Amino acid sequence: MNTFEENLNKLEQLTSDIKRSDISLEDALKDFEEGIKLAAGMEKQLDEIEGKVQILMNEPNPMNQENQPEFDTFSEQGEVNGTRK
């Protein structure tokens, strides 16, 4: 799975490609479909991040070693409990 930043760069490239005057309608449609899929995945990533931020903002005690919030494991991104390995 790509990082959010990699997906954003790809989406920006697709957007630039679609705006080219020499792109065929078929290629533009293919890029548009890929962009829609990428945007949907990125929206899901942002929702997950927002959930983590809400958990941290609602934490009654300051963070310390004994008081770590529980997050889902993201093994394909190299993250565990919301932090990079």
Side-chain angles (χ1 to χ4, degrees), residues 16 18 28 41 49 56 61 64 73-74 77 81:
S16 293
I18 289 171
I49 291 168
L56 293 172
N61 299 320
N64 59 40
T73 302
F74 297 100
Q77 291 181 348
N81 290 335

Side-chain angles (χ1 to χ4, degrees), residues 7-69:
N7 288 337
L8 183 58
N9 288 334
K10 178 65 176 173
L11 189 58
E12 289 172 347
Q13 181 61 50
L14 290 168
T15 302
S16 293
D17 288 348
I18 289 171
K19 292 179 182 179
R20 287 188 355 243
S21 61
D22 64 338
I23 191 169
S24 70
L25 181 59
E26 292 81 14
D27 287 340
L29 180 59
K30 181 182 68 101
D31 288 351
F32 181 77
E33 287 176 321
E34 185 177 351
I36 292 294
K37 290 176 186 176
L38 257 171
M42 292 169 68
E43 184 176 13
K44 184 178 178 196
Q45 285 177 305
L46 286 174
D47 288 343
E48 290 172 0
I49 291 168
E50 183 180 5
K52 289 178 185 181
V53 169
Q54 288 298 324
I55 289 171
L56 293 172
M57 296 294 290
N58 293 323
E59 193 67 31
N61 299 320
M63 297 286 293
N64 59 40
Q65 290 293 347
E66 295 82 38
N67 186 24
Q68 294 290 322

